[in-house]
Amino acid sequence: MQLRRHLLILRTAGALLAALAVTGCTARPVTGPPRAEAFNATDTAWILLMIPMAERAHRLTGLAPSRTADPALADLAARTGERLEEEREGLRALLDLAGVPDTRPHEGHRMPGMVGLDTLARAKGATGGEFDRILVDGLRAHFAQSRALCASERLSGGAEEAKELAAVIGGNAAEALDRLGPRAGPAP
């Protein structure tokens, strides 16, 4: 009886040792706090503002193919729209990582740099040079404000992922402002 118990213990111990050898018995590395805890109020506010800003600017660029008279401006709007969509996807991924619901706190707001609903309505009714002015002015304001907001995020944000995306978006905004250059349509 004792021999059976002893063999049972040995088999159990052997199976346990084999399982530990297969799965490894090293200590798990300390990874720090969950990623959501790294996001501070600045990160969250920046993300929740940048998403609708990108969406509204994207809507404006989407009007260009049928309304602009300038093929170069139509091309610029198409490339800008693609980049804005990529940025918006990155911002949404950060929002998920932060564990913050998109409550759309800026829905319908008139904010500096955000393409207004009235601007979109005017753009939908305009063509040629008039549309080009609306597009360029709207994008110029959007990118200037985006660059400023991204600089603030990089300075005061807490999550490295958010600060890294702010650096990318801020750089994209500076490049876009350069591409827009001195474009201006005739005065209304």
Side-chain angles (χ1 to χ4, degrees), residues 5-157:
R5 188 179 308 165
H6 186 2
L7 287 174
L8 184 59
I9 291 172
L10 284 175
R11 284 185 191 158
T12 305
L16 183 59
L17 287 173
L20 286 174
V22 169
T23 60
C25 59
T26 59
R28 293 183 179 202
V30 177
T31 59
R35 290 306 313 142
E37 291 180 17
F39 287 81
N40 66 18
T42 299
D43 298 319
T44 302
W46 175 74
I47 295 166
L48 288 171
L49 177 56
M50 292 298 294
I51 289 172
M53 283 186 62
E55 289 172 346
R56 294 264 190 91
H58 186 263
R59 287 173 58 188
L60 182 60
T61 61
L63 297 172
S66 63
R67 294 192 164 45
T68 185
D70 181 349
L73 192 54
D75 182 60
L76 178 92
R79 286 184 285 128
T80 300
E82 289 171 7
R83 185 172 276 175
L84 287 165
E85 184 59 24
E86 291 169 5
E87 291 172 359
R88 188 184 66 80
E89 288 172 7
L91 289 160
R92 287 213 172 277
L94 283 180
L95 201 59
D96 290 343
L97 186 61
V100 175
D102 187 0
T103 57
R104 313 286 295 170
H106 302 290
E107 190 69 38
H109 288 181
R110 292 185 52 85
M111 305 189 72
M114 184 182 287
V115 175
L117 296 175
D118 58 332
T119 301
L120 286 170
R122 280 194 348 259
K124 287 178 183 176
T127 58
E130 181 184 359
F131 173 81
D132 294 352
R133 268 190 312 283
I134 295 168
L135 176 66
V136 169
D137 290 349
L139 290 179
R140 191 174 278 128
H142 168 79
F143 289 124
Q145 184 67 9
S146 292
R147 190 174 54 182
L149 291 170
C150 289
S152 293
E153 165 59 25
R154 291 179 68 202
L155 183 66
S156 301

